[in-house]
């Protein structure tokens, strides 16, 4: 047995087999092959497996997110079967006597370049699709743990690091736990692990990744960050017990379902939840959240290989609103950029992406993208109680511009005879120090604030949330951050707006009392933290 130490980012225990997640690009090497026929038939087999996987994903997507969103996987099947694409791969294998992986990778590059050079925006976006299908075939050829496939045993995914786009593409039903050699606890990958309720450990180190093998048995303790590879019998027993105790604790918390979020002296607060996709709704309902305080709509974009259309977005937002049956649903507009990169946006590489072209800055400079999303949101608003919030705000003029665009979208819908709700609440995220400092001027413009403590902490403490080497300098309870939240709460209330917290700090029960005393009206947390925060609230007495 070998023990490795990382940092736990979601407390739970997993016991199972390791599956190494290799980035497909890293796995492709040019290898000289004598038996080209054999190589061609390897390609045929990998392609057939990819066809089956895509069919499975299509069926799953159809059930979970509807036909419009599922259609892309049908298109992928067609592209994979395209004659030119297949001919190119076979002729590279034959003419250069090379391995199938290499032939697929070269074909993917050539086709992607060809698509990118076309004038038509739709065809340009096919570049990402051809890379996607090719990666799938390469994964099948290399025997890489294809967690894209919909079947099989649940495994512990081990990776160098995972980008949010890779994390969302994993088949969640197959993931027992995540362990990454690198990564920081405030990254979106860590946040996604928490949202998915799966044990996760980051920063396990390069030795861990170099030494573990596919298929070996491991125990992951997401509480302590320990990973036991090839555990002995005693360790397995001990951790099975710990797993059972944890599940029992979670089961006991379930008794708080249906109860109010109320302190001993009668102070009430809303506890909402953060989600990243329509598929998370089950967890929201299972944990009895009062609403959705943050729907990270950018994951709709990350899950797609092209801009989701107005209809696709409308279907997704409508489904969330209907499923929540009148409970508040706050959808954040696109927050792409920084660590959330999407190929088809063709964003330039930046020196400091967290300080760069992201979120509202993209929306305000590419109004076509923004308006499509707003139209979908306004149209969906009639199906429930919608709040729309805008990320990365730093100035009054940005908010004024946003409000003007919203008015434009409403006018357009009215002219087209399309309905929308008059009761939509508009809010902004307080996640830059600038927004907190001028919150007195921002509050009169909006219905609510939602504090994004993940970014607010990064910008206030000047600590890149993606950089694990500086985590020791990130004091999550730093007084500067707490005072900015307090200041924003005072200013919100002075101007009749309400204020919530949707960053990870909202789930930190050591701060629940302080937040309540500041007058925070809502805490939006990962689904599995709702009942834990409810429990914390119920033990407080603010009259003392
Ligand atoms: C935040 O910054 O706290 C937040 C909720 O947004 P995200 O984590 O998606 O950047
Ligand atoms: Mg943020």
């Amino acid at each position: 047995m070998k023990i490795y130490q990382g940092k736990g980012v979601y407390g739970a225990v997993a016991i199972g087999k390791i599956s190494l997640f290799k980035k497909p690009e890293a796995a492709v090497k040019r290898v000289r092959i004598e038996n080209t026929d054999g190589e061609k038939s390897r390609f045929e087999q990998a392609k057939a497996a990819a066809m089956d996987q895509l069919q499975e994903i299509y069926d799953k997507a159809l059930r979970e997110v509807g036909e419009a969103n599922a259609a892309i996987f049908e298109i992928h099947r067609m592209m994979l079967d395209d004659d030119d694409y297949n001919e190119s791969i076979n002729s590279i294998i034959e003419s250069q006597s090379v391995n199938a992986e290499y032939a697929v990778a070269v074909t993917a590059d050539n086709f992607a370049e060809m698509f990118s050079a076309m004038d038509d925006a739709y065809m340009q976006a096919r570049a990402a699709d051809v890379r996607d299908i090719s990666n799938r075939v390469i994964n099948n050829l290399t025997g890489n743990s294809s967690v894209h496939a919909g079947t099989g045993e649940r495994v512990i995914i081990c990776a160098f690091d995972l980008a949010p786009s890779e994390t969302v593409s994993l088949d969640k039903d197959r993931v027992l736990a995540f362990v990454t050699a690198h990564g920081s606890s405030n990254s979106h990958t860590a946040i996604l692990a928490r949202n998915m309720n799966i044990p996760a450990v980051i920063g396990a180190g390069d030795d861990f990744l170099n030494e573990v093998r596919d298929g070996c048995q491991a125990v992951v303790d997401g509480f302590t960050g320990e990973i036991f590879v090839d555990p002995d019998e005693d360790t397995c027993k001990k951790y099975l017990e710990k797993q059972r105790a944890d599940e029992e604790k979670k089961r006991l918390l379930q008794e708080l379902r249906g109860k109010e979020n109320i302190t001993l002296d009668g102070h009430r607060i809303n506890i909402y939840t953060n989600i990243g996709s329509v598929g998370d709704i089950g967890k929201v309902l299972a944990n009895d959240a009062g609403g959705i305080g943050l729907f990270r709509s950018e994951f709709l974009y990350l899950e797609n290989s092209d801009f989701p259309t107005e209809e696709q977005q409308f279907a997704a937002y409508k489904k969330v609103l209907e499923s929540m049956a009148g409970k508040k649903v706050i959808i954040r507009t696109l927050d792409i950029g920084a660590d959330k990169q999407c190929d088809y946006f063709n964003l330039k590489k930046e020196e400091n992406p967290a300080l760069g072209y992201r979120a509202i800055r993209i929306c305000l400079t590419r109004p076509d993208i923004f308006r499509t999303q707003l139209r979908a949101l306004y149209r969906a608003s009639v199906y429930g109680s919608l709040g729309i919030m805008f990320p990365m705000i730093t100035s009054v003029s940005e908010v004024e511009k946003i409000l003007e665009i919203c008015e434009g979208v409403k006018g357009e819908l009215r002219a087209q005879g399309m309905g929308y709700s008059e009761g939509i609440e508009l809010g902004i995220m307080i996640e830059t120090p600038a927004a907190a400092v001028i919150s007195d001027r921002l509050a009169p413009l909006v219905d609510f604030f939602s504090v994004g403590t993940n970014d607010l902490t990064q910008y206030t403490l000047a600590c890149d949330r993606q950089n694990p080497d500086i985590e020791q300098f990130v004091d999550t309870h730093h007084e500067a951050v707490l005072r900015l939240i307090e200041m924003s709460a005072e200013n919100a209330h002075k101007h009749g707006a309400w204020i919530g917290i949707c960053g990870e700090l909202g789930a930190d029960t050591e701060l629940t009392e302080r937040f309540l005393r500041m007058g925070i009206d809502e805490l939006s947390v990962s689904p599995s933290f709702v009942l834990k925060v409810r429990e914390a609230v119920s033990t407080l007495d603010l009259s003392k």
Side-chain angles (χ1 to χ4, degrees), residues 270-489:
N270 288 323
I271 304 180
Y272 291 173
T273 187
N274 299 343
I275 64 166
S277 81
V278 181
D280 292 338
I281 298 284
K283 275 176 259 152
V284 176
L285 300 174
N287 288 288
D288 195 30
I292 291 172
L294 166 64
F295 177 5
R296 288 183 164 94
S297 71
E298 57 276 11
F299 285 106
L300 271 180
Y301 293 71
L302 287 168
E303 283 162 1
N304 249 346
S305 53
D306 196 356
F307 291 100
T309 61
E310 181 179 321
E311 287 314 311
Q312 282 175 318
Q313 295 192 55
F314 168 72
Y317 305 147
K318 174 172 177 259
K319 183 150 190 203
V320 177
L321 284 158
E322 281 181 338
S323 312
M324 290 303 290
K327 288 183 178 164
K328 177 68 75 197
V329 174
I330 297 173
I331 301 183
R332 175 175 74 184
T333 57
L334 179 64
D335 185 9
I336 218 84
D339 62 324
K340 287 175 281 194
Q341 290 291 331
C342 216
D343 287 353
Y344 57 85
F345 273 74
N346 285 324
L347 299 178
K348 276 201 229 129
K349 248 200 146 24
E350 295 175 302
E351 282 291 317
N352 292 301
L355 304 179
Y357 187 54
R358 56 172 292 200
I360 203 67
R361 300 171 183 178
I362 297 182
C363 290
L364 289 177
T365 49
R366 294 178 69 175
D368 48 326
I369 298 174
F370 195 30
R371 288 162 61 88
T372 302
Q373 178 166 39
L374 288 173
R375 280 181 59 93
L377 284 166
Y378 272 91
R379 283 176 54 204
S381 65
V382 295
Y383 295 95
S385 172
L386 178 66
I388 305 177
M389 74 172 165
F390 305 95
M392 280 293 292
I393 297 298
T394 58
S395 71
V396 168
S397 64
E398 283 164 353
V399 180
E400 287 171 344
K401 182 84 195 137
I402 290 166
L403 298 178
E404 195 185 308
I405 296 174
C406 288
E407 283 308 312
V409 165
K410 278 161 59 178
E412 214 174 84
L413 291 176
R414 277 195 303 272
Q416 292 170 338
M418 288 174 160
Y420 59 85
S421 162
E422 290 291 351
I424 301 175
E425 285 193 306
L426 295 182
I428 54 169
M429 291 198 65
I430 301 288
E431 53 182 349
T432 64
V437 171
I438 59 162
S439 51
D440 59 328
R441 297 189 50 211
L442 295 169
L445 303 176
V446 294
D447 299 306
F448 68 93
F449 285 161
S450 185
V451 184
T453 53
N454 310 332
D455 278 317
L456 187 60
T457 303
Q458 126 165 295
Y459 298 127
T460 305
L461 304 186
C463 282
D464 179 357
R465 66 193 269 196
Q466 291 301 114
N467 186 344
D469 300 336
I470 51 170
E471 280 204 24
Q472 56 179 309
F473 299 104
V474 181
D475 171 5
T476 51
H477 292 190
H478 198 295
E479 195 53 30
V481 177
L482 295 172
R483 285 192 201 172
L484 288 174
I485 301 174
E486 192 158 26
M487 180 199 260
S488 306

Side-chain angles (χ1 to χ4, degrees), residues 147 162 183:
V147 276
L162 285 168

Side-chain angles (χ1 to χ4, degrees), residues 4-7 179-182 201-209 225 227:
Y4 300 88
Q5 183 70 53
K7 189 164 178 189
V179 183
T180 60
H182 297 263
V201 173
I202 54 146
D206 287 322
D207 286 350
F208 164 76
L209 205 59
I227 309 130

Side-chain angles (χ1 to χ4, degrees), residues 12 18 44 57 170 258 321 346 456 484 509 513:
I18 281 182
E44 282 309 321
I57 297 174
L170 298 176
L321 284 158
N346 285 324
L456 187 60
L484 288 174
T509 47
E513 178 167 0

Side-chain angles (χ1 to χ4, degrees), residues 50-51 53-62 65-80 129 132-133 136 148 169 303-305:
M51 286 296 230
Q53 289 157 2
L54 285 166
Q55 184 64 50
E56 264 183 62
I57 297 174
Y58 173 82
D59 293 342
K60 186 165 180 270
L62 193 63
V65 288
E67 196 169 349
N69 291 300
I72 187 66
F73 301 111
E74 199 48 44
I75 296 175
H76 280 191
R77 275 171 62 86
M78 278 154 54
M79 290 178 83
L80 196 51
D129 292 315
D132 203 349
I133 57 163
R136 182 175 296 285
H148 303 281
S169 75
E303 283 162 1
N304 249 346
S305 53

